[in-house]
Amino acid sequence: MDYEAIIGLEVHAQLLTRSKIFCGCSTAFGAEPNTQTCPVCTGQPGSLPVLNVKAVEFAMKMALACHCTISSFCLFARKNYFYPDLPKGYQISQYEYPLAKDGHLEIPVDGGLKRIEIIRIHMEEDAGKLVHEGAFESSTWSLVDFNRTGVPLIEIVSGPDMRTPEEAGMYLRSLRDILRYLEICDGDMEKGSFRCDANISVRPKGQRDFGTRTELKNMNSFRHVEKALEFEMRRQMALLESGEEIVQETRLWDEDQGRTLSMRGKEEAHDYRYFPDPDLVPLEVSEAWVEDMRGTLPELPAEKRKRFVDQYGIPEYDAGILTASRSLADYYEECVRLSGEAKMVSNWIMGDLLRELKKDDQEIEECPVAPRHLASMLRMIKDGIISGKIAKTVFETMYRTGGDPEKIVKEKGLVQLTDVEEIQRVIRGVLEENAKLVEDYRKGKEQVLGFFVGQVMKATRGKANPKLVNELLRKSLSNG
Ligand SMILES: [Zn+2]
């Protein structure tokens, strides 16, 4: 039987405010444990939370970027449960009255765009962090760090609209790109500032009802999310095939074993005894405030992608890669402005530049090649001063030293050889040494031309203009 997966994602994004959501404690990452705490975020009796307006504005930005409707009235609610990293015994979250609802995102799928519904975006506080001694299974004690307690989060809940693990990965990357464009979350999955839980069920293709779903946790990278969903999809399909039942539960992704493991039965909303937090007044959001926030939105990835295709005439694929971050898009546009070569710039960035950065595990912000240097190298290729092949060498040197390509070319004597007599002299030498092949060529074995070109390029250490070499070779061979 043919099955399909039904996938919905719940994403938690840590907001980059300087202080926590209900107190003035710093949110800076990496401080000594329990040094960024106060009576409010450690839940001392009598302390009162006060809402951080910056956190609300950041959440509004994301909601607007995802085409959500922002509620004029929302409430904070207590989500009650016990865990050692939750000092109050409840988490302040939003339940019946979230900040925003009914949005959507469009993700690129199969050359087209697919719409993923966003059911809601609500605000909440993060819990603390447990540090287990040794391995989790054999650990005999744990430490708790409350520095993270009360750091603002938004939870973004998608509709059950994704049908493959790849679509889920694409949706996650799109969300992460938007958060980064807005500069409200660093989107770092490994550091835990961007986290994802996934709901997945499978059903025979054509069936309307959803199957029993499981919830997956503990996936710390985009790759893990896709792998976990892939595994879970196959596991559920195998169960259905053998006539067994799927248990509704929460499962953990175990990266080492490459499989999901049962963790606990799925809790329902009523298990948390949600109720409005009596310590916080309702949050009222005026239309004027929403419009103010809308005015602060930058050009977002989808718009930028479309503009790059229209304005620069580059393929959709290129535009997708070049707009993955605002800085990369800015870098691209600056290079095009300076060189006028939209497609050539795109090729160099997507090829050599991103490859080098990836090798060094660096971001475009740390790129040692200045846009004006890349642009001036491209001009030299266009003017025939260096060949495309030599440009590779020049680029490598530029990347290593951050140097000016014109100086590099001069110092290393890399100027392209375009002197006809000089090239003809080399050609004569090559043809004399390979008299047998010359004869073959003249008998009609034209493929040896490539060999001759290679020999001439070698003799000139790659500096001869290849087009010229081709031309002159053909002439010499037919004159013989
Ligand atoms: Zn605090």
Side-chain angles (χ1 to χ4, degrees), residues 95-287:
Y95 187 54
E96 290 121 313
Y97 300 95
L99 179 75
K101 285 190 289 201
D102 303 330
H104 67 268
L105 265 195
E106 282 179 334
I107 59 167
V109 170
D110 297 335
L113 289 174
K114 176 168 179 175
R115 194 181 164 115
I116 308 293
E117 299 301 322
I118 294 193
I119 297 175
R120 59 189 271 151
I121 296 181
H122 69 248
M123 306 177 64
E124 60 188 27
E125 58 178 351
D126 210 344
K129 210 167 79 184
L130 287 182
V131 185
H132 305 292
E133 176 270 334
F136 179 72
E137 301 78 16
S138 56
S139 180
T140 50
W141 48 268
S142 301
L143 298 165
V144 64
D145 178 5
F146 291 129
N147 282 353
R148 206 178 65 182
T149 312
V151 167
L153 298 177
I154 47 175
E155 181 172 336
I156 306 158
V157 182
S158 85
D161 297 338
M162 288 149 276
R163 293 291 170 271
T164 63
E166 294 73 39
E167 283 182 22
M170 191 56 83
Y171 165 79
L172 269 187
R173 286 184 184 90
S174 301
L175 273 190
R176 194 250 336 242
D177 292 349
I178 294 173
L179 288 164
R180 286 186 172 172
Y181 264 62
L182 296 172
E183 296 174 333
I184 58 171
C185 169
D186 67 19
D188 192 332
M189 276 192 104
E190 268 141 59
K191 256 175 33 194
S193 41
F194 183 75
R195 317 195 275 267
C196 163
D197 299 335
N199 287 300
I200 175 170
S201 62
V202 299
R203 68 178 173 195
K205 265 198 180 141
Q207 180 184 302
R208 280 195 52 192
D209 293 339
F210 289 162
T212 306
R213 62 184 187 162
T214 56
E215 184 180 2
L216 306 183
K217 286 184 180 291
N218 198 38
M219 302 164 290
N220 305 325
S221 74
F222 291 99
R223 197 67 209 105
H224 289 188
V225 174
E226 290 178 16
K227 275 160 76 183
L229 285 168
E230 191 69 50
F231 175 87
E232 186 61 16
M233 202 174 134
R234 292 185 189 292
R235 189 188 72 87
Q236 293 188 11
M237 272 158 42
L239 284 174
L240 291 183
E241 280 289 312
S242 62
E244 285 173 75
E245 230 171 276
I246 292 161
V247 181
Q248 180 166 342
E249 61 183 352
T250 299
R251 298 178 68 87
L252 282 186
W253 170 245
D254 185 322
E255 172 63 16
D256 294 335
Q257 295 189 52
R259 53 182 306 203
T260 63
L261 303 168
S262 176
M263 179 192 175
R264 57 166 188 248
K266 169 82 187 137
E267 54 292 278
E268 301 286 341
H270 62 247
D271 293 330
Y272 290 117
R273 303 291 188 270
Y274 281 98
F275 66 88
D277 192 312
D279 289 342
L280 285 157
V281 292
L283 172 64
E284 284 181 20
V285 182
S286 70
E287 238 165 80

Side-chain angles (χ1 to χ4, degrees), residues 20 23-25 36-41:
K20 294 185 179 179
C23 63
C25 293
Q36 294 170 169
T37 58
C38 74
V40 175
C41 56

Side-chain angles (χ1 to χ4, degrees), residues 290-297:
V290 173
E291 288 320 306
D292 265 7
M293 281 300 112
R294 202 189 299 278
T296 67
L297 295 186

Side-chain angles (χ1 to χ4, degrees), residues 297-318:
L297 295 186
E299 184 183 34
L300 293 165
E303 301 161 46
K304 213 187 263 289
R305 203 159 51 227
K306 191 170 173 308
R307 178 169 66 79
F308 275 24
V309 172
D310 294 345
Q311 183 175 344
Y312 300 120
I314 54 172
E316 187 82 38
Y317 176 80
D318 294 31

